[in-house]
């Protein structure tokens, strides 16, 4: 790899890469992030490699293994460039047929994506509703880049924003550009990024400022940061380089949770490559600007995503928050001024500064830019969705997500992870922005979006998140440690039929105090799941308390299973029951012994005749 | 010097003071549990919260950690503060009802009952002992372990510490569990750390369960 000594070297390399690349050669693209590999992308990669070698197609067909493209429901998928053909859920034989067809410049009709609504086959990826309604500013790069190859990133004009700023612009100007762009932190709180940078830039002179990439993504069901780390690690490195140049920081830290081994591998590789190219290290491109990034692995605590806890964890101490002030910008890692931004914020920086800022500010309504959401739960098209700010929730759920996955209608969506809240279906027309979500009692958070249908009990949901939070609270601050535990106890009482109206009153009182009084972001947002469900689904709470009934049929203490006339006596449920609670003669209606029944629901899921009812 | 308003009173105090120090300096009482003048501020018990700023943008912060700022408005006993404090005391009472300190706090703040499941815990994890051990005794013999519900204080791997000098500083400073070393003979309690003559440990089965770090106890010499 050439070591770049000046801007001319960089431009020459870029020119060479552009001219060497022939975009007309058909390329097979296989998304193989963690999610892709889990659904079998590695098999496809092996098959494709074997077939290409066996048929001596090297040079005629290219193979590109990339990070996740976002459409996780349809993985393992294959995308063909330059035609843009999309094949969902491909198996090994399918892969062979795709290569066969590609040699003859044809399309495998029966493997194409079928639109369930119209029943028509869709060839091109861009025409699929899931992709058509998005504006994929960040995620679309994942398709074009092999994350292990820096040249791929350079080919999509990667690092050019950084090099341009480094040679043409003063740090102050860079900060002004970021401020003008209106970019706000994508990690949850939405603090204006440019302002944060200015604080660090203004912090005491001298060496030893830190900038940190917070990649401790811990919300259940959220994985947009992972896909960026795995699919496009260089964009984050470039974002941090720009940040360092603008603020005068000379050390960078990436704090990645250890549960993301593939992301760590790709990041380490990216750091190695950019060092080899001379884009990271001492005297970058001969300008005298020096900056290097080290990688720190987290040890699996949710609270380490909170910035003061994260800093302590980087220092090698126990990950627990401390009271601010002093803010990290005043006193951070090892006492030095520190700036912490989320993965998605850093990945946005090169996009913001690549073209003119005016162009970027045109994207989105209310707030600027796009936001990636991880759409999961009871929805047809699960996956990563990138939409401009200001998009109504209904568009994400119905147009992109395709609506409910089962028979039951959609009831609510939970945004912002365990610290977020539930937004009911009747409010789905609110646009997505930091303010409007906060007004609705939820938060933007890092971008988790869990869809719930009529079969989801809101008390159970609140209980689930409270259980998560009581385990993940660091335990330093007393009201958070005890408060989350007490809220869980109260919710558990309500869910198991021991609840009274006093429970509800205490719960609400406690939740409001916790929001006010706790030390860090975890505790302050911990009551959100309770408060938002209490606000929008109070009747469900009352149903549990007054009538001892769980309308969704979830809370085990309040439901019972019975077998109705539809039972054919097949005996499947008898075998499935772990408690031996079901008895009955063959071909006769069976009976459930209520005393033995543990309400696990195994019989209901195995019964083919819908003979098992929940009361 | 910094000028700020505490409960409507204009106060001039030295820069670098915390709100708690400033308020106490001019005579406004703020209850604390995890604070000790000789130790670094910790901000964990949240009893010392005060309301700062103008409504509706005011917020609650722990006064023991918040440094005074020019022009700051502080209310040490607003409705919001009292409500929060009451709830914290209620939570404390639900966990450690046997502690004299907590009983006193409850009675001073008019908290007469608690509405949660009653627990009898020995420790509220205020961290005073950990800080005494490391900051005053320079021993670092005990520390925090685990997180959330499983957080506890102890020596690494519960092995008797080599660096512990059996000074008893941890027991002296503890606001909740002061009676650990009296075992089952409260009348023989010569450890002066406690004023509570009804120790919770009478009902406890044995000395080993009392997570006392003193082996033997320097005060009452129980083996």
């Amino acid at each position: 790899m050439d070591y770049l000594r000046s801007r001319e070297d960089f431009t020459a390399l870029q020119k060479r890469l552009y001219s060497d690349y022939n975009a007309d050669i058909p390329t097979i693209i296989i998304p193989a992030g963690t999610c892709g590999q889990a659904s079998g992308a590695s098999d496809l990669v092996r098959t494709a490699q074997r077939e290409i070698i066996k048929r001596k197609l090297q040079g005629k067909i290219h193979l590109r293994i990339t990070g996740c493209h976002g459409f996780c429901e349809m993985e393992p998928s294959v995308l063909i460039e330059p035609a843009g053909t999309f094949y969902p859920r491909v198996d090994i034989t399918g892969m062979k047929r795709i290569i066969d067809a590609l040699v003859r410049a044809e399309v495998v009709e029966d493997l194409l994506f079928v639109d369930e609504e119209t029943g028509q086959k869709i060839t091109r990826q861009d025409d699929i509703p899931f992709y058509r309604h998005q504006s994929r500013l960040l995620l679309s790069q994942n398709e074009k880049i092999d994350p292990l190859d820096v040249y791929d990133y350079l080919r999509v004009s990667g690092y050019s924003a950084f090099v341009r700023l480094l040679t043409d612009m003063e740090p102050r100007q860079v900060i002004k550009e970021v401020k003008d762009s209106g970019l706000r932190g994508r990690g949850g709180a939405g603090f204006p990024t440019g302002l944060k940078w200015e604080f660090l830039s203004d912090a005491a002179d001298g060496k030893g400022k830190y900038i940190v990439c917070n990649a401790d993504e811990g919300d259940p069901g959220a994985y947009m940061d992972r896909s960026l780390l795995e699919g496009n690690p260089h964009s984050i490195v470039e974002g941090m380089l720009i940040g360092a140049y603008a603020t005068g920081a000379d050390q960078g830290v990436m704090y990645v949770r250890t549960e993301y081994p593939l992301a760590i591998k790709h990041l380490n590789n990216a750091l190695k490559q950019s060092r080899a190219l001379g884009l990271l290290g001492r005297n970058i491109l001969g300008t005298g600007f020096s900056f290097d990034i080290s990688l720190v692995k987290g040890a699996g605590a949710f609270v380490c995503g909170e910035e003061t806890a994260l800093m302590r964890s980087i220092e090698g101490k126990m990950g627990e928050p401390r009271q601010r002030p002093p803010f990290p910008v005043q006193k951070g890692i090892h006492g030095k001024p520190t700036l912490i931004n989320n993965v998605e914020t850093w990945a946005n920086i090169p996009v913001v500064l690549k073209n003119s800022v005016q162009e970027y500010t045109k994207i989105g309504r209310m707030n600027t830019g796009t936001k990636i959401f991880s759409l999961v739960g009871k929805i047809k098209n699960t996956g990563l969705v990138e939409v401009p700010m200001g998009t109504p929730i209904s568009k994400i759920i119905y147009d992109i997500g395709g609506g409910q996955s089962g028979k039951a209608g959609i009831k609510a969506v939970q945004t912002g992870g365990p610290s977020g809240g539930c937004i009911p279906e009747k409010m789905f027309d609110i646009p997505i922005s930091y303010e409007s979500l906060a007004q609705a009692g939820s938060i933007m958070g890092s971008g988790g979006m869990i869809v719930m249908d009529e079969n989801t009990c809101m008390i159970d949901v609140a209980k689930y998140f409270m259980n998560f939070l009581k385990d993940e609270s660091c335990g330093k601050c007393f009201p958070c440690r005890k408060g989350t535990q007490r809220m869980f106890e109260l919710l558990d009482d309500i869910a198991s039929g021991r609840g009274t109206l006093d429970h509800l009153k205490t719960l609400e009182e406690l939740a409001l105090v916790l929001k006010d009084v706790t030390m860090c972001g975890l505790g302050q947002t911990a009551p959100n799941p309770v408060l938002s469900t209490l606000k929008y689904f109070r009747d469900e709470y009352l149903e549990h308390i007054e009538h001892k009934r769980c309308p969704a049929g979830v809370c085990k203490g309040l439901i019972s299973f019975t077998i109705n006339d539809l039972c054919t006596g097949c005996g499947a449920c008898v075998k499935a029951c772990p408690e031996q609670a079901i008895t009955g003669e063959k071909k006769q209606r069976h009976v459930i012994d209520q005393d033995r029944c543990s309400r696990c629901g195994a019989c209901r899921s195995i019964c083919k005749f819908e003979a098992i009812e929940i009361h | 010097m910094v000028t700020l308003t505490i409960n409507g009173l204009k106060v001039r105090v030295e820069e670098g003071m915390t709100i708690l120090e400033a308020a106490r300096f001019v005579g406004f009482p703020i209850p604390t549990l995890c604070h000790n003048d000789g130790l670094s501020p910790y901000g964990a018990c949240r009893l010392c919260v005060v309301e700062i700023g103008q409504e509706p943008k005011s917020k609650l912060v722990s006064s023991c950690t918040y440094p005074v700022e020019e022009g700051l408005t502080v209310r040490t006993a607003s409705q919001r503060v009292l409500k929060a404090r009451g709830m914290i005391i209620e939570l404390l009472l639900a966990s450690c009802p046997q502690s004299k300190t907590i009983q006193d706090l409850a009675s001073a703040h008019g908290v007469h009952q608690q509405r949660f499941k009653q627990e009898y815990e020995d420790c509220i994890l205020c961290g005073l002992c950990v800080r005494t051990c490391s900051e005053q005794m320079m021993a670092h013999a005990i520390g925090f372990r685990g997180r959330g519900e499983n957080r506890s204080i102890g020596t690494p791997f519960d092995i008797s510490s080599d660096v512990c000098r059996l000074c008893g500083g941890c027991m002296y400073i503890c606001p909740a569990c002061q009676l650990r070393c009296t075992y089952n003979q409260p009348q023989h309690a010569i450890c002066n750390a406690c004023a509570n003559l009804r120790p919770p440990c009478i009902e406890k089965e044995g000395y080993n369960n009392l997570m006392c770090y003193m082996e033997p106890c320097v005060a009452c010499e129980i083996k």
Side-chain angles (χ1 to χ4, degrees):
Chain A
M1 213 173 267
D2 322 346
Y3 189 85
L4 308 173
R5 288 176 200 287
S6 64
R7 183 174 179 175
E8 286 68 43
D9 281 3
F10 178 81
T11 336
L13 173 68
Q14 225 178 9
K15 246 183 211 155
R16 206 182 75 217
L17 288 173
Y18 288 147
S19 62
D20 282 357
Y21 186 69
N22 184 354
D24 296 332
I25 296 179
T27 309
I28 302 169
I29 302 170
I30 304 174
T34 303
C35 46
Q37 289 188 6
S39 42
S42 305
D43 290 340
L44 298 190
V45 172
R46 266 196 296 278
T47 313
Q49 283 168 338
R50 208 173 290 149
E51 286 295 305
I52 288 173
I53 294 169
K54 206 165 83 187
R55 302 185 198 190
K56 302 199 170 55
L57 292 169
Q58 296 101 317
K60 289 175 202 149
I61 291 179
H62 286 170
L63 175 67
R64 191 189 300 147
I65 302 148
T66 68
C68 176
H69 296 184
F71 205 175
C72 302
E73 185 71 34
M74 291 300 159
E75 275 180 346
S77 59
V78 171
L79 178 67
I80 307 292
E81 255 184 15
T85 323
F86 177 79
Y87 298 105
R89 287 190 182 142
V90 182
D91 55 7
I92 293 176
T93 40
M95 189 71 236
K96 287 181 183 162
R97 289 178 58 205
I98 290 170
I99 296 178
D100 269 341
L102 199 58
V103 174
R104 297 195 300 272
E106 285 169 7
V107 170
V108 194
E109 286 286 335
D110 57 307
L111 289 182
L112 287 175
F113 180 83
V114 182
D115 190 352
E116 270 184 45
E117 259 175 48
T118 56
Q120 278 181 339
K121 283 183 178 154
I122 301 176
T123 315
R124 283 171 49 78
Q125 167 171 301
D126 300 345
D127 299 334
I128 296 170
F130 179 80
Y131 286 109
R132 199 175 60 213
H133 295 289
Q134 298 187 43
S135 39
R136 301 166 74 229
L137 227 52
L138 299 178
L139 283 177
S140 65
Q141 287 197 347
N142 277 14
E143 297 163 17
K144 302 192 182 82
I145 294 167
D146 179 346
L148 292 172
D149 188 358
V150 64
Y151 289 147
D152 267 10
Y153 184 62
L154 288 170
R155 222 170 262 135
V156 293
S157 57
Y159 287 112
S160 54
F162 164 64
V163 174
R164 182 173 62 86
L165 299 175
L166 182 64
T167 47
D168 294 352
M169 228 186 245
E170 287 295 309
R172 280 276 148 198
Q173 267 173 294
V174 180
I175 293 179
K176 192 178 171 295
E177 295 261 295
V178 177
K179 269 172 104 175
D180 288 347
S181 75
L183 180 67
R184 290 172 65 174
R186 297 288 193 254
F191 193 82
T193 308
L195 201 60
K196 219 183 204 178
W197 286 23
E198 197 172 61
F199 288 154
L200 184 72
S201 175
D202 291 344
D205 284 337
K207 293 263 166 204
K209 289 183 196 171
Y210 281 90
I211 58 175
V212 178
C213 170
N214 181 354
D216 190 60
E217 180 181 48
D219 291 359
Y223 50 96
M224 44 278 142
D225 290 354
R226 192 192 68 206
S227 81
L228 288 173
L229 294 164
E230 285 174 1
N232 197 357
H234 282 285
S235 69
I236 297 147
V237 176
E238 187 183 357
M240 288 181 77
L241 272 165
I242 295 173
Y245 174 65
T247 57
D250 50 11
Q251 296 178 72
V253 180
M254 281 180 175
Y255 186 86
V256 192
R257 67 194 300 229
T258 214
E259 289 91 334
Y260 286 175
L262 193 66
I264 291 170
K265 182 181 152 199
H266 287 185
L267 277 175
N268 272 326
N269 180 72
L271 294 175
K272 210 168 94 189
Q273 285 180 336
S274 12
R275 270 186 216 122
L277 272 177
L279 289 167
L280 209 59
R282 290 185 166 278
N283 193 13
I284 295 168
L285 298 182
T287 54
F289 168 65
S290 302
F291 177 68
D292 207 347
I293 300 175
S294 56
L295 195 139
V296 177
K297 282 190 269 182
F302 177 69
V303 74
C304 285
E306 203 276 343
E307 51 184 20
T308 53
L310 182 140
M311 291 189 311
R312 277 181 66 98
S313 179
I314 290 174
E315 288 171 356
K317 295 179 190 150
M318 196 173 185
E320 53 188 36
R322 63 163 167 76
Q323 177 82 45
R324 291 169 297 180
F327 290 94
V329 171
Q330 298 159 330
K331 200 176 170 199
I333 301 170
H334 301 303
K336 305 277 189 197
T338 302
L339 167 98
I340 299 161
N341 276 143
N342 173 263
V343 172
E344 208 184 322
T345 320
W346 287 122
N348 260 300
I349 295 291
V351 178
V352 171
L353 297 168
K354 198 175 276 176
N355 303 315
S356 77
V357 170
Q358 279 72 34
E359 236 166 86
Y360 184 81
T361 48
K362 280 181 202 148
I363 307 167
R365 221 153 43 79
M366 300 160 88
N367 307 131
T368 57
T370 59
K371 173 85 191 92
I372 307 178
F373 289 97
S374 89
L375 193 60
V376 294
K378 308 279 182 69
I379 191 145
K380 208 173 276 168
N381 301 330
T382 56
L384 295 177
V385 174
E386 186 176 352
V387 288
M389 293 282 187
T391 309
I393 297 179
S394 57
K395 189 174 173 188
I396 297 180
I397 291 187
Y398 296 110
D399 295 351
I400 299 172
Q404 71 224 39
S405 61
K407 283 178 197 157
I410 290 173
K411 180 156 82 175
V413 62
Q414 209 273 355
T415 68
S419 315
C422 296
I423 297 171
E425 203 262 339
K426 61 175 189 287
M427 288 174 68
F428 276 5
D429 53 345
I430 61 166
I432 287 189
S433 73
Y434 293 99
E435 291 80 17
S436 58
L437 285 180
Q439 217 168 18
S442 184
I443 56 167
M444 176 87 83
S446 55
M449 209 174 240
I450 303 169
V451 180
M452 301 168 207
D453 65 8
E454 299 291 347
N455 292 331
T456 318
C457 170
M458 298 321 270
I459 285 94
D460 193 57
V461 169
K463 204 177 106 182
Y464 167 82
F465 282 115
M466 212 40 74
N467 189 26
F468 177 85
L469 287 164
K470 89 173 160 54
D471 287 342
E472 291 298 339
S473 157
C474 77
K476 177 178 178 181
C477 124
F478 176 79
C480 175
R481 182 180 76 244
K482 276 292 159 197
T484 48
Q485 186 199 323
R486 297 305 186 177
M487 281 203 279
F488 175 77
E489 280 172 14
L490 290 169
L491 286 167
D492 192 43
D493 275 355
I494 294 173
S496 45
R498 294 189 298 269
T500 59
L501 287 174
D502 286 342
H503 273 77
L504 213 56
K505 208 175 137 229
T506 317
L507 185 66
E508 206 163 6
E509 223 174 283
L510 177 62
L512 286 170
V513 167
L514 274 203
K515 211 179 165 77
D516 240 9
V517 84
T518 43
M519 181 188 305
C520 77
L522 189 143
Q524 282 157 11
T525 51
N528 279 352
V530 170
L531 287 173
S532 67
T533 48
L534 266 176
K535 185 170 167 192
Y536 298 119
F537 300 97
R538 187 176 278 271
D539 47 341
E540 249 181 74
Y541 278 87
L542 292 176
E543 192 74 21
H544 278 73
I545 291 168
E546 286 172 348
H547 303 111
K548 309 284 177 216
R549 210 178 73 83
C550 175
V554 176
C555 295
K556 282 182 186 170
L558 300 178
I559 54 169
S560 60
F561 288 87
T562 51
I563 299 176
N564 66 17
D565 289 342
L566 293 170
C567 178
T568 58
C570 70
C573 55
V574 179
K575 285 192 195 116
C577 181
E579 305 287 337
Q580 282 92 43
I582 305 178
T583 47
E585 294 292 312
K586 261 206 169 150
K587 296 190 178 169
Q588 297 278 315
R589 183 173 154 182
H590 288 14
V591 188
I592 300 176
D593 178 357
Q594 295 300 336
D595 293 337
R596 283 191 155 187
C597 176
S598 66
R599 282 122 183 125
C600 66
C603 50
R604 191 170 144 86
S605 47
I606 204 151
C607 181
K608 290 178 192 148
F609 309 100
E610 295 185 9
I612 295 176
E613 286 175 358
I614 301 179
H615 295 285
Chain B
M1 296 295 265
V2 178
T3 314
L4 71 158
T5 321
I6 303 181
N7 296 346
L9 189 74
K10 269 224 155 66
V11 183
R12 269 166 67 81
V13 292
E14 260 177 70
E15 207 176 329
M17 271 179 132
T18 61
I19 294 179
L20 178 72
E21 284 162 347
R24 285 188 171 171
F25 177 68
V26 292
F28 290 118
I30 296 176
T32 56
L33 202 53
C34 73
H35 177 81
N36 187 294
D37 285 339
L39 300 173
S40 62
Y42 190 56
C45 73
R46 316 303 291 173
L47 262 181
C48 69
V49 284
V50 293
E51 192 173 354
I52 60 164
Q54 298 294 346
E55 268 167 338
K57 276 194 149 182
S58 64
K59 57 176 180 180
L60 298 189
V61 297
S62 54
S63 61
C64 66
T65 57
Y66 205 96
V68 288
E69 286 167 8
E70 185 64 44
L72 196 70
T73 319
V74 181
R75 267 150 295 167
T76 64
S78 65
Q79 279 301 314
R80 199 167 153 195
V81 170
L82 292 179
K83 203 174 152 199
R85 226 173 253 164
M87 182 56 86
I88 295 171
I89 294 173
E90 210 177 317
L91 284 170
L92 282 167
L93 217 49
S95 300
C96 283
Q98 68 276 28
S99 157
K100 177 82 167 53
T101 318
I102 290 168
Q103 289 167 5
D104 286 349
L105 264 173
S107 100
H109 288 83
V111 179
H112 302 302
Q113 55 158 4
Q114 62 86 12
R115 292 166 283 177
F116 305 102
K117 223 172 262 169
Q118 188 67 60
E119 285 174 350
Y120 298 91
E121 286 179 1
D122 284 330
C123 179
I124 52 167
L125 298 169
C126 65
L128 278 172
C129 52
V130 176
R131 278 174 289 149
T132 304
C133 190
S134 61
E135 290 170 18
Q136 292 296 329
M137 301 305 160
M138 310 298 161
H140 301 280
I142 50 174
F144 290 106
R145 311 166 299 185
R147 85 175 165 245
E149 281 180 304
N150 300 322
R151 189 174 166 100
S152 63
I153 291 175
T155 53
F157 308 106
D158 276 330
I159 299 166
S160 274
S161 174
D162 292 341
V163 288
C164 173
R165 300 194 293 273
L166 306 180
C167 68
C170 47
M171 290 193 313
Y172 168 75
I173 201 136
C174 179
C177 51
Q178 287 151 341
L179 267 179
R180 275 181 200 155
C181 68
T182 64
Y183 194 34
N184 54 3
Q185 293 171 308
Q187 64 273 31
H188 293 141
I190 49 169
C191 165
N192 207 20
C194 161
N196 183 355
L197 293 176
R198 289 182 180 276
C201 41
I202 293 179
E203 287 86 41
K204 296 272 167 70
E205 293 226 312
Y207 178 69
N208 288 338
N209 297 335
L210 295 179
M211 58 180 250
C212 180
Y213 310 110
M214 314 293 288
E215 268 184 297
C217 168
V218 283
C220 41
E221 290 178 5
I222 295 163
K223 295 260 157 70

